[in-house]
Amino acid sequence: MRIKPMYGTFSLLFFSIFLLYNQNLCYAQDAPSTTGYSCNSSQFYPCQTYVFYRARGPEFLDLASIGDLFSVSRLMIANPSNISTSNTTLVNDQSLLVPITCSCNNLNTTSGNISYAGLNYSFNFGDTMYMVSTVKFQNLTTYQSVEAVNPAVVPENIDIGQVIEFPIFCKCPNRTQTQPQNQNQPRYLISYVFQPFDNISSIASRFGTTPQSIRKINGNNPKIFDILFIPLSKLPDITQPTASNGPAVQENDKKGTVIGLAIGLGICVLLLILLAGLWGCREKSGKSKRSLYLGFDEGC
């Protein structure tokens, strides 16, 4: 009679271990690391890929400032991001695709070869490795990786204007996936930072791919601010807000200027009429005084 409960207990324990093992297998493809993501010769390095970036105020609400941060031109961001004019003003959280060149780099540490795009950043007053990594680069890297890439730099002794390399996490597809015959295989692995209210299905819908293809590369259990690599055979068609349309904004500015000038001109005309009336009344008043002095009666 005691065998059945024991059998049930062992079955439940075995099932739990099996689930945990399978879960670890999904993540074993490339577990997230604070230093970066490993790379090897079977992958196609270097490659051009993209990071998903969000416009954020007050510093990064135009393509020029974001382009300076990533060392690319405004057009190089505008074209893949489906933005018609490169001098447009962006809105907060506007979606952007920023191009980077991804390489496999040897850090000469226990981390081995790490996949990243190295971007030079000049420190400003108040900057720290952590702040730049999490705020300006929006968790596309980590301060631990910045320290690993810059072993001679002391984080507490960085001077204003000092240039430090920031490793932006990225990946390149396998060589077999980039062959011409594999047209449906991913040409890009877009670096995307997992947000607090994200899920795999919503991310797949955003990029026009399937949840299964994302899980195959990234596993089933991404954590907040983990990097997900979104496999795509072509760049997504990003829907941009109408407020980002530069010519429309300029047209509204022109209309506002014309209306303002018209109001100002109308006020000037009224003032001139009022001044002319006061001047005329003053002249008549002067004539009246002279007429009384001479014995005549003229009124204003």
Side-chain angles (χ1 to χ4, degrees), residues 123-134:
F123 267 62
N124 301 307
F125 179 78
D127 282 345
T128 64
M129 286 184 177
Y130 177 80
M131 189 277 287
V132 175
S133 299
T134 57

Side-chain angles (χ1 to χ4, degrees), residues 2-16:
R2 295 180 180 178
I3 296 177
K4 290 183 179 180
M6 290 179 63
Y7 177 79
T9 301
F10 280 117
S11 298
L12 181 61
L13 180 62
F14 176 80
F15 183 70
S16 300

Side-chain angles (χ1 to χ4, degrees), residues 22-200:
N22 279 343
Q23 182 177 8
N24 289 336
L25 276 180
C26 291
Y27 242 119
Q29 297 179 52
D30 195 0
S33 168
T34 56
T35 304
Y37 295 82
S38 61
C39 54
N40 55 64
S41 58
S42 67
Q43 294 167 294
F44 192 77
Y45 287 96
C47 69
Q48 178 181 302
T49 186
Y50 296 83
V51 299
F52 185 87
Y53 192 81
R54 292 174 171 85
R56 293 276 169 84
E59 190 173 359
F60 299 107
L61 286 178
D62 61 272
L63 295 181
S65 60
I66 298 172
D68 290 342
L69 180 66
F70 285 90
S71 300
V72 295
S73 69
R74 293 179 296 177
L75 283 175
M76 292 174 69
I77 304 174
N79 290 337
S81 302
N82 196 27
I83 297 176
S84 57
T85 56
S86 61
N87 61 345
T88 185
T89 299
L90 306 175
V91 298
N92 216 36
D93 281 333
Q94 187 167 341
S95 302
L96 301 170
L97 287 177
V98 182
I100 57 172
T101 300
C102 192
S103 302
C104 190
N105 306 274
N106 190 341
L107 298 184
N108 294 319
T109 64
T110 56
S111 301
N113 294 336
I114 299 299
S115 177
Y116 66 82
L119 299 179
N120 290 329
Y121 177 83
S122 179
F123 267 62
N124 301 307
F125 179 78
D127 282 345
T128 64
M129 286 184 177
Y130 177 80
M131 189 277 287
V132 175
S133 299
T134 57
V135 178
K136 295 192 175 183
F137 284 115
Q138 299 179 5
N139 293 293
L140 287 164
T141 185
T142 63
Y143 75 91
Q144 295 96 330
S145 185
V146 179
E147 291 177 353
V149 172
N150 303 274
V153 176
V154 179
E156 295 78 17
N157 296 329
I158 300 175
D159 297 325
I160 295 176
Q162 185 173 346
V163 177
I164 293 178
E165 185 179 16
F166 276 74
I168 305 303
F169 295 155
C170 58
K171 271 189 177 182
C172 293
N174 294 333
R175 291 183 182 275
T176 55
Q177 293 174 333
T178 59
Q179 299 300 320
Q181 63 269 22
N182 297 328
Q183 296 181 359
N184 294 326
Q185 294 299 321
R187 294 179 55 202
Y188 308 102
L189 295 175
I190 308 297
S191 299
Y192 178 88
V193 179
F194 193 80
Q195 300 299 310
F197 298 103
D198 275 341
N199 58 65
I200 297 295

